Amino acid sequence: MFRRTVEAMEGYVPGEQPRDRRYIKLNTNENPYPPSPQVLEALRDAVGENLRLYPRPLADELRERAARLFRLLPQNVLVGNGSDELLAIVMRAVVDPGDAVAYPVPTYSLYDTLVALHSGEAIHVPFPADFSFPAALADVDARLVIVCNPNSPSGTRIASQELSPLFRRRDRLVVIDEAYVDFADGDCLDLLREVPNVVILRTLSKSYSLAGMRIGLALGAQNVIEQLVKVKDSYNVNRLSIVAGAAALRDPRWMEASVRRVRRSRDGLTRRLVEMGFEVPPSQANFVLARKPGEDLGPLYEGLKRRGVLVRYFPTPDLRDALRITVGTDDEISVLLRVLEQLI
């Protein structure tokens, strides 16, 4: 009944969302702090009989608000049902069966799933040990190149000027996935004004504390966005998400205050993990990667889970010696560290 590709592929496995008990949940990079009160007020006002009506196909209110925030035109913005949907839209628009899609690894594993779903060929270019820019990525013959920046699961970031070799060829699209960039010291927005074949993805799930609303933004040249619009679902963002997203972007100071708290806690968490013997790459995201090179940390992950603390473990050859830990509240981090000390 199903395509051979679908039957043969592995589906993407999200972080665990438990329902059976209370956990300290540090496994899916959610913001530990609430969204702006303006978002909650706007949502209360929007819940009414208008829910029987379809939303605007291009989420105009949110699109225009995002364009003002990033100093672009609305025609440079596409709104999606999370940045995951925008990644799928890009694949749908660009990748024919057999086309190559290149990205540095280890990185966000959804890329592999989407490439397989579109019968493309995934080209994995290994990161150097310090997760700096892999020069070989610029020379790969690929229709599409993706760079998760800051990268997940390492949390490391590559400066926009270091990405310039990717744009020597103008016959391919380059996607910079900036899901975590609000926690970083810089971004790649300058590329939008310098090169015509780049798309930058943003999400309101992390810094704006709206993971439950599923809101993503694609930023790019007008002709690129026009092609992506052709293949998106008719009404891909619901009315309440549009309202929530526009309200969140009207209150950037709330987001910035939340980000400052997370960054402060991230620094303290990194320092303590290093003192406990972990290697931790310098994170520019709302999580850290704690490594014990050569040691399988699966048992440590299981021990944390038994004691009510969820982190992310990837049972793959290049990541089984690591745990990805979301930056929670200071109280949550204190519990995590106490349990880690007991287990170690």
Side-chain angles (χ1 to χ4, degrees):
M1 290 187 295
F2 301 99
R3 293 167 53 202
R4 286 190 294 273
T5 296
V6 173
E7 289 190 330
M9 66 184 279
E10 295 290 334
Y12 173 71
V13 180
E16 187 175 357
Q17 298 285 355
R19 301 179 64 179
D20 58 332
R21 59 172 287 184
R22 171 67 178 171
Y23 286 91
I24 291 177
K25 194 168 175 299
L26 305 176
N27 65 328
T28 51
N29 301 340
E30 294 145 324
N31 196 318
Y33 304 110
S36 164
Q38 291 188 30
V39 172
L40 304 181
E41 181 181 354
L43 283 171
R44 282 190 290 267
D45 292 342
V47 175
E49 66 176 42
N50 280 348
L51 293 181
R52 66 184 177 82
L53 303 174
Y54 284 114
R56 297 297 294 268
L58 292 175
D60 294 345
E61 179 187 5
L62 178 50
R63 191 188 201 199
E64 291 163 6
R65 177 61 57 179
R68 284 197 290 273
L69 177 66
F70 298 118
R71 299 181 181 179
L72 301 168
L73 297 174
Q75 294 87 344
N76 300 122
V77 181
L78 176 62
V79 182
N81 182 30
S83 54
D84 287 353
E85 190 214 14
L86 293 168
L87 284 164
I89 288 173
V90 168
M91 295 275 183
R92 201 181 304 163
V94 174
V95 181
D96 278 324
D99 282 347
V101 182
Y103 36 90
V105 292
T107 192
Y108 187 24
S109 59
L110 179 66
Y111 302 154
D112 282 343
T113 303
L114 292 174
V115 173
L117 184 62
H118 290 81
S119 301
E121 179 189 1
I123 306 296
H124 292 172
V125 180
F127 274 113
D130 61 357
F131 290 96
S132 58
F133 178 69
L137 185 64
D139 299 321
V140 174
D141 185 15
R143 288 289 302 275
L144 176 65
V145 174
I146 307 173
V147 180
C148 186
N149 197 36
N151 184 53
S152 177
S154 65
T156 50
R157 179 178 173 271
I158 301 169
S160 62
Q161 59 269 24
E162 296 177 45
L163 297 173
S164 59
L166 295 178
F167 302 101
R168 287 198 295 259
R169 287 182 48 184
R170 295 299 171 91
D171 60 341
R172 66 183 179 192
L173 193 66
V174 179
V175 171
I176 311 298
D177 185 352
E178 289 194 329
Y180 300 98
V181 78
D182 288 325
F183 301 97
D185 295 330
D187 59 42
C188 292
L189 289 177
D190 56 308
L191 293 174
L192 293 173
R193 295 166 179 84
E194 296 172 4
V195 294
N197 58 326
V198 65
V199 169
I200 293 177
L201 300 184
R202 294 291 183 91
T203 179
L204 276 64
S205 294
K206 316 300 183 183
S207 57
Y208 285 93
S209 306
L210 289 177
M213 299 304 298
R214 312 303 301 125
I215 305 165
L217 303 170
L219 314 175
Q222 182 175 342
N223 66 309
V224 172
I225 297 300
E226 286 173 352
Q227 299 304 312
L228 300 182
V229 168
K230 289 180 182 179
V231 300
K232 80 172 187 67
D233 292 342
S234 303
Y235 306 99
N236 61 322
V237 183
N238 70 69
R239 296 182 72 93
L240 295 183
S241 291
I242 294 169
V243 167
L249 296 185
R250 284 196 295 269
D251 191 13
R253 290 185 179 179
W254 181 274
M255 177 273 288
E256 292 161 1
S258 174
V259 164
R260 283 194 295 272
R261 296 174 74 181
V262 169
R263 285 168 59 109
R264 195 160 48 240
S265 299
R266 180 186 69 197
D267 294 343
L269 173 60
T270 299
R271 186 166 54 251
R272 288 289 292 114
L273 289 170
V274 170
E275 291 171 355
M276 295 168 69
F278 290 94
E279 292 185 5
V280 184
S283 176
Q284 292 277 288
N286 68 333
F287 58 85
V288 299
L289 190 71
R291 308 195 81 151
K292 293 266 190 177
E295 180 179 339
D296 185 355
L297 296 191
L300 188 57
Y301 158 79
E302 294 291 350
L304 286 165
K305 184 176 179 180
R306 284 194 300 271
R307 289 160 176 79
V309 180
L310 285 179
V311 297
R312 194 76 191 267
Y313 169 68
F314 302 93
T316 60
D318 52 355
L319 288 173
R320 60 168 45 111
D321 63 354
L323 298 176
R324 193 193 68 189
I325 304 170
T326 303
V327 179
T329 65
D330 288 341
D331 287 344
E332 290 171 332
I333 290 172
S334 294
V335 174
L336 163 78
L337 293 172
R338 184 170 65 249
V339 175
L340 268 180
E341 286 177 337
Q342 294 168 357
L343 291 170
I344 291 173

